[in-house]
Amino acid sequence: MSQAKRPRVGLLATCLMNVFRPNIGFSAVDLLRAAGCEVAVPDSQTCCGQPAYSAGDDELAGRMARQLIEQFEGYDCLVSPSGSCVGTVRKYPQLLAGDAQWAPRAEALAARSFELLSFLVDVRQVDIQARYPGRATYHDSCSGLRQLGVKRQPRELLSKVDGLELTEMEDAEVCCGFGGSFCVKYPKISEKMVDDKLRSIGASGADTLLGGDLGCLMNMAGRLKRIGSKVRVWHTAEVLAGRTDGAAIGEEESR
Amino acid sequence: MSRELVLHEIRRAIAGAAGLRGRSQLPQRPQPPSYGDRRIDRFTERLEAHACSWEAIGGLDELPARVLAWLEQRGLARRMAVAPPLMELPWPEGVHRHAGAAGIDESVAVSLAFAGIAESGSLVMYSGPNSPITHNFVPEFHLVAIRDEDVSDSQEGIWAKVRAHGGMPRALNLIAGPSRTGDVEQTIQLGAHGPRQVHVLLVRAKGVTS
Amino acid sequence: MKALPGSFDSRAEAALADPSLQKALANFKPLFVAKRAAAVAELPEFERLRDAAAGIKDAVLCELDVWLERYADKVESLGGKVHFAKDAEAAREIIRDICRKAGARTVCKGKSMVSEEIGLNEVLEEDGYRVVETDLGEYIIQLAKEPPSHIIAPAIHKTREQVADLFAQNHPGRPREDSVAGLVNEARHALRERFFQSDVGITGGNFLIAETGTSVIVTNEGNGDLTQTLSRIHVVTSGIERVIPTLDDLSVFLRLLARSATGQDTECYTTLSTGPRRPGDVDGPEEYHVVLVDNGRSKMLAGRFRDMLRCIRCGACMNHCPVYGAVGGHAYGWVYPGPMGSILTPLFNGLAETYDLPNACTLNGRCQSVCPVRIPLTDLIRTMRNEQVKAGLMPASQRRMMAAWGWVARQPGLYRALERLGSRMMRLRAGRRGALSSLPGAGAWTEGRDLPAPAGPTFIDQWKSRGREQ
Ligand code: SF4
């Protein structure tokens, strides 16, 4: 995609973001516009089908996939502030492989679907003009990291944020224990995993936790809140867009 | 009978998966490493990394004296299992040695390696009348002579040598250091079941007499 | 081996509540990961070796019958005997028969996952043989009467104190040892005599080489070598998928195996065994048998899980699995734990009996990223869930919820309205606190963590009301 043309981006507003953290959506819009994109939010969109796909319900996941392909194939690309939702879209070709009509459409969309932070580095360039005073540590969410190769991009972007010091935690690449329905099906195991993660966060000395997938962030923020930690949790897009005036994830509003 | 039964099941399964039978192209293997004139350095480096001790000797005729000195330093008796080709070296009087299989109380064995591998610092033992297998595993102390020209860059060099030597023996043992275990709290402990110490006597080419 | 009693949940919960297990796991977890990473970093061609290894296995699997015949013919031409076993029972019978004909009393064993899989020890003990596991880890769990909890470090769940207790109970007349060195030494002495008394020595077979009719084991202790060399009869137990074409192919796998398993560049002992002792040899077994076990593997060849047959049992997937790291191997209930077990165990023991295994996974993909033969473990675990769904095994309550959600998610208007409603209710309940400490219907979430509350109306509502600008 050349920098000259203004690409039309369809923003996939993930279910969790849409309900729990609209600020991430507005941050994504800001950043995409700053990167010279035209942003649309198809308002018939619902869900990428990840819950069904992960549960092994390929029938239902396939129906969700077809619906989403229809909604988004008219845009130059699909972008979403979630590695796992984009990861699901990238699985559509495999999911619909047996369907001669839909497989090519799935291929075409998957090839044009990007996770927000990697899009802002690998596909478009963006000028970051934000300030965040704090010591932050970055959790690499699994789908983004291993399915999409999101690792260096958020760090590159965060290095341009004024006042922000990035300190790596140990085991940044280890799962936080969220895993979608896993965390409610196996809450005790999930709790053990998130506690391990919290220990790494604590040991890093960071006052802020950042990541690129809201599910994981809610899991860690929820546990941090439960144990009374003061570590603030943001989606990276919020910090990059300078939208950190309000309450962080799970934080009281008075702040 | 059961052979045919199992093979039949396999053939049925392969036939049932479309296109499987045709896809049997073996891939290209990455080139094995080679070290040029660093070959022996690499070998001794890896020996040390695997907790072997080693010394260079000028020829096999020096071996008895070096072996006895090594034993003496450790206060060990002059009693050992010795590989047949090394039996007739100039051993002094009073050294108790035999060339049979190692017995339950065997403390020391002296062997001659078939080859070495620089890549991994492994000693390669080719079993046969000249190299009893038990010598490699039963004693607590294993002293192994190896000629430096027998050290190959990689395993692949060994396979070529084995093929040229008439094929596989009953046991081809690649040995990288003394026996060890991490089974108690992942703490590495030497001398699990096999030798506690492996000492290599590297026979330098220029001094070879045999 | 029979499956362990209880449900996955109950075993996992017990594991989480077991302080010595948690201590052992905390000790093991960082170690193997760091060692593997360091070993891999030293070998620039590691990724290419992974490609080659996967490619060799795939090529062999496509013509498995051909390679097995070549291998078996070669073994027999060198005086060995190859037995094919269609299932666990057939394999057990073959080995019982070998022991019976040998008039054996003592049977020593090197580590063999196949022998665990077919439940060999139980029947040999019933037959009255003294069966001795000689790998230190296996020996420890044999004394503890427990199954292995890891495929390469079977006693990883045991602390030093627990091993000391076991040895003190089982080695009468010896002072109690507490140090690792002391314990290892004690086992060395206890097992020494057994090796020399052994009639039949059973080992696994990591690789079978068609070119030379050779079976290969890799160990650090040397126990597998003493087992096969000092016994009158050497029996190799191996899965039918372990055959590879040549010695040069073996090198590809050897460069991957130790690095992936323990982070060593090579294990201490790599042993290539070919036939029985030769004329003129002063030691080595008089008979050499190879038992090739199918036990469901040929069925895997045709199906969606064929990739699993590339597995070289290195254990890297479990070493890197955070769920395994939390609950250990026994929670998985059978001989193969962790990611590889979550696929293999349902295939061996039935999908219904093992429902939790593929589900107790966050699909985080770390296992897949380290597997030396590039098995797409995470994808296969998800595929296994799909097999469960197709077999009608998803619990009815979950099925109903999924169907209802799926229906709503295809009515955008209704989906929006429900999101709006949920958002409003949660915001009302949370007030200005920003998070909920409990929520009806979300108990499993709020049991251990707060639920961050929605921060304002839904994004799409706000987006629309701001006229798509702001
Ligand atoms: S699945 Fe891969 S990582 Fe796991 S044991 Fe098998 S070869 Fe090793």
Side-chain angles (χ1 to χ4, degrees):
Chain A
M1 227 163 295
S2 80
Q3 287 280 354
K5 182 174 157 272
R6 267 174 81 81
R8 286 184 65 236
V9 170
L11 181 71
L12 173 61
T14 76
C15 306
L16 287 179
M17 181 274 269
N18 186 41
V19 172
F20 288 94
R21 200 69 189 164
N23 194 42
I24 300 171
F26 289 111
S27 304
V29 172
D30 289 354
L31 291 165
L32 288 167
R33 283 179 176 159
C37 303
E38 202 178 294
V39 185
V41 182
D43 61 12
S44 61
Q45 64 174 300
T46 60
C47 174
C48 64
Q50 186 183 164
Y53 183 72
S54 295
D57 189 341
D58 288 10
E59 230 272 311
L60 177 54
R63 274 187 276 165
M64 304 292 297
R66 291 184 184 91
Q67 171 176 301
L68 190 132
I69 292 168
E70 265 175 352
Q71 291 157 346
F72 279 86
E73 63 190 349
Y75 299 96
D76 292 329
C77 43
L78 173 157
V79 174
S80 186
S82 158
S84 63
C85 299
V86 173
T88 304
V89 176
R90 295 265 182 103
K91 290 285 187 190
Y92 287 175
Q94 202 177 314
L95 184 64
L96 301 176
D99 185 330
Q101 192 204 332
W102 284 88
R105 293 169 74 177
E107 292 278 1
L109 182 66
R112 289 181 285 127
S113 295
F114 302 94
E115 184 276 334
L116 174 70
L117 303 172
S118 49
F119 181 78
L120 294 175
V121 173
D122 300 342
V123 185
R124 305 291 298 185
Q125 274 70 53
V126 64
D127 226 5
I128 297 298
Q129 303 205 320
R131 193 181 149 65
Y132 183 91
R135 251 168 93 86
T137 193
Y138 189 88
H139 166 72
D140 295 288
S141 280
C142 302
S143 308
L145 174 70
R146 298 197 185 84
Q147 250 183 289
L148 309 174
V150 182
K151 174 79 188 179
R152 117 201 96 75
Q153 303 90 332
R155 289 169 174 82
E156 209 172 301
L157 294 168
L158 285 166
S159 72
K160 297 177 187 154
V161 174
D162 227 21
L164 183 142
E165 183 198 340
L166 199 65
T167 159
E168 293 290 342
M169 67 172 126
E170 197 137 311
D171 289 341
E173 296 186 356
V174 176
C175 177
C176 71
F178 173 61
S181 65
F182 172 87
C183 71
V184 289
K185 277 196 215 153
Y186 305 95
K188 286 275 185 300
I189 303 175
S190 172
E191 205 178 300
K192 163 82 177 120
M193 289 162 70
V194 73
D195 278 345
D196 285 349
K197 180 55 71 174
L198 261 51
R199 211 164 303 123
S200 301
I201 297 168
S204 76
D207 54 38
T208 298
L209 170 67
L210 301 176
D213 227 317
L214 183 56
C216 316
L217 292 170
M218 286 177 64
N219 177 44
M220 292 179 285
R223 185 67 181 166
L224 283 164
K225 177 101 181 165
R226 175 62 56 90
I227 64 164
S229 163
K230 290 278 169 273
V231 173
R232 306 185 79 196
V233 183
W234 302 94
H235 189 288
T236 306
E238 298 177 282
V239 172
L240 294 175
R243 286 177 170 270
T244 50
D245 303 332
I249 297 169
E251 199 174 52
E252 283 176 36
E253 271 173 48
S254 56
R255 214 170 150 134
Chain B
M1 168 64 211
S2 55
R3 166 167 166 157
E4 279 320 305
L5 199 74
V6 170
L7 290 173
H8 175 75
E9 284 302 315
I10 294 170
R11 289 185 189 116
R12 218 175 51 175
I14 292 176
L20 198 56
R21 182 67 80 184
R23 267 191 273 138
S24 55
Q25 186 69 36
L26 282 160
Q28 200 77 39
R29 290 181 294 260
Q31 276 296 314
S34 70
Y35 302 95
D37 46 14
R38 287 206 60 255
R39 193 180 88 251
I40 297 297
D41 292 339
R42 165 82 190 189
F43 178 64
T44 53
E45 250 165 60
R46 295 319 294 165
L47 283 180
E48 288 170 15
H50 294 134
C52 292
S53 53
W54 67 279
E55 63 186 295
I57 62 176
L60 274 181
D61 50 356
E62 290 177 22
L63 181 120
R66 297 297 192 93
V67 166
L68 295 174
W70 194 88
L71 296 181
E72 192 162 45
Q73 265 174 30
R74 284 157 189 80
L76 296 167
R78 298 177 145 211
R79 168 183 289 276
M80 62 198 88
V82 176
L86 306 179
M87 280 294 271
E88 300 317 317
L89 294 175
W91 295 93
E93 290 285 299
V95 177
H96 189 282
R97 56 196 202 281
H98 74 93
I104 189 163
D105 294 320
E106 205 77 54
S107 164
V108 178
V110 185
S111 308
L112 180 62
F114 170 73
I117 306 174
E119 177 185 5
S120 54
S122 306
L123 300 159
V124 181
M125 312 303 287
Y126 187 103
S127 79
N130 284 336
S131 183
I133 312 168
T134 43
H135 290 198
N136 305 329
F137 299 101
V138 175
E140 290 197 58
F141 303 95
H142 193 200
L143 292 93
V144 185
I146 177 168
R147 298 188 181 92
D148 63 3
E149 76 257 30
D150 288 334
V151 176
S152 296
D153 283 315
S154 63
Q155 288 168 18
E156 281 81 345
I158 306 301
W159 310 146
K161 199 170 163 180
V162 166
R163 288 180 191 119
H165 200 78
M168 294 292 277
R170 152 61 201 171
L172 190 78
N173 296 109
L174 279 47
I175 300 177
S179 149
R180 67 198 61 196
T181 182
D183 274 343
V184 184
E185 292 193 343
Q186 286 70 63
T187 309
I188 300 300
Q189 185 64 42
L190 298 185
H193 292 292
R196 291 176 197 282
Q197 252 178 298
V198 175
H199 184 69
V200 176
L201 299 128
L202 185 63
V203 186
R204 294 295 194 188
K206 49 183 180 303
V208 170
T209 56
S210 59
Chain C
M1 186 197 117
K2 287 195 197 66
L4 288 172
S7 65
F8 174 83
D9 268 330
S10 64
R11 291 188 302 261
E13 227 161 287
L16 287 165
D18 177 346
S20 24
L21 174 64
Q22 288 302 326
K23 186 179 150 208
L25 289 171
N27 175 22
F28 132 86
K29 253 191 300 185
L31 201 77
F32 279 38
V33 172
K35 281 172 121 185
R36 175 192 175 275
V40 169
E42 276 179 21
L43 197 68
E45 65 268 35
F46 194 79
E47 294 306 314
R48 280 186 297 133
L49 286 165
R50 288 174 77 186
D51 293 333
I56 293 167
K57 284 279 184 184
D58 278 343
V60 168
L61 290 173
C62 293
E63 306 218 287
L64 185 57
D65 52 334
V66 177
W67 288 110
L68 277 174
E69 289 214 276
R70 242 180 250 179
Y71 166 75
D73 290 347
K74 189 75 193 179
V75 174
E76 307 219 316
S77 77
L78 293 164
K81 173 96 187 84
V82 179
H83 310 257
F84 286 77
K86 71 177 193 323
D87 56 19
E89 191 187 339
R92 290 192 301 261
E93 286 313 312
I94 291 164
I95 297 168
R96 290 172 79 175
D97 200 50
I98 294 171
C99 293
R100 199 179 310 129
K101 286 193 179 128
R105 297 176 49 138
T106 301
V107 177
C108 275
K109 290 184 67 207
K111 217 171 78 55
S112 153
M113 289 312 294
V114 167
S115 91
E116 299 279 357
E117 175 188 318
I118 64 175
L120 184 61
N121 286 10
E122 290 92 324
V123 296
L124 291 183
E125 273 162 9
E126 268 170 36
D127 286 353
Y129 304 110
R130 177 160 64 184
V131 181
V132 187
E133 291 287 355
T134 62
D135 171 85
L136 179 54
E138 290 280 350
Y139 179 65
I140 291 167
I141 60 168
Q142 188 185 30
L143 294 182
K145 300 190 171 55
E146 287 174 16
S149 71
H150 189 289
I151 59 169
I152 62 156
I156 203 142
H157 58 289
K158 289 269 179 251
T159 60
R160 177 163 45 91
E161 294 76 26
Q162 290 173 318
V163 176
D165 290 344
L166 274 172
F167 280 13
Q169 284 158 29
N170 286 279
H171 301 154
R174 276 189 74 104
R176 183 191 164 94
E177 293 281 358
D178 274 307
S179 67
V180 174
L183 291 166
V184 171
N185 210 15
E186 186 171 337
R188 181 188 175 100
H189 282 287
L191 288 168
R192 215 4 99 115
E193 250 172 68
R194 301 285 173 266
F195 284 125
F196 277 86
Q197 292 160 340
S198 181
D199 301 298
V200 177
I202 301 175
T203 68
N206 289 72
F207 306 97
L208 309 171
I209 303 171
E211 174 192 359
T212 52
T214 298
S215 59
V216 183
I217 59 168
V218 290
T219 72
N220 275 319
E221 297 181 5
N223 64 304
D225 290 288
L226 290 168
T227 296
Q228 59 174 273
T229 305
L230 294 172
S231 304
R232 266 192 296 125
I233 296 171
H234 177 198
V235 179
V236 176
T237 56
S238 183
I240 52 169
E241 80 283 15
R242 294 309 190 96
V243 63
I244 56 174
T246 63
L247 288 165
D248 297 279
D249 294 310
L250 175 67
S251 295
V252 171
F253 290 97
L254 290 179
R255 291 190 178 103
L256 291 167
L257 179 57
R259 290 182 172 91
S260 300
T262 53
Q264 294 169 277
D265 65 328
T266 173
E267 319 252 354
C268 221
Y269 300 113
T270 303
T271 300
L272 289 79
S273 310
T274 311
R277 94 160 57 176
R278 308 286 167 84
D281 285 358
V282 299
D283 50 22
E286 288 154 25
E287 290 177 32
Y288 175 70
H289 297 261
V290 182
V291 182
L292 294 175
V293 182
D294 181 336
N295 203 24
R297 287 167 172 81
S298 58
K299 276 200 196 68
M300 285 164 64
L301 254 181
R304 302 171 84 185
F305 300 98
R306 179 171 62 241
D307 289 343
M308 224 30 241
L309 292 173
R310 295 203 296 265
C311 177
I312 56 172
R313 308 286 193 267
C314 73
C317 53
M318 57 201 75
N319 293 346
H320 290 76
C321 173
V323 175
Y324 179 95
V327 299
H330 287 162
Y332 294 83
W334 199 54
V335 290
Y336 299 118
M340 53 90 82
S342 298
I343 300 158
L344 284 179
T345 307
L347 294 174
F348 282 122
N349 292 357
L351 266 54
E353 294 76 2
T354 56
Y355 185 79
D356 276 300
L357 297 189
N359 286 292
C361 166
T362 62
L363 303 181
N364 64 77
R366 203 170 176 221
C367 49
Q368 177 167 319
S369 75
V370 296
C371 175
V373 285
R374 297 206 191 283
I375 298 174
L377 289 154
T378 312
D379 297 341
L380 292 183
I381 287 174
R382 200 210 67 86
T383 302
M384 187 58 79
R385 294 180 187 177
N386 178 241
E387 289 296 320
Q388 293 178 330
V389 169
K390 289 201 294 188
L393 292 169
M394 186 189 270
S397 57
Q398 200 192 332
R399 208 163 51 221
R400 277 194 298 272
M401 253 172 52
M402 187 64 77
W405 171 82
W407 186 77
V408 174
R410 278 173 296 119
Q411 333 285 324
L414 180 58
Y415 198 72
R416 283 287 96 75
L418 288 174
E419 284 182 326
R420 201 171 293 137
L421 183 70
S423 168
R424 197 171 301 147
M425 281 180 13
M426 284 188 275
R427 274 180 287 140
L428 264 174
R429 195 176 167 99
R432 299 179 62 82
R433 279 174 301 146
L436 299 156
S437 54
S438 70
L439 182 69
W445 178 283
T446 56
E447 187 184 305
R449 17 176 152 44
D450 287 1
L451 180 65
T458 68
F459 170 71
I460 290 182
D461 280 356
Q462 293 190 52
W463 174 259
K464 278 192 190 162
S465 67
R466 293 183 197 182
R468 292 164 161 78
E469 282 301 331
Q470 37 157 349

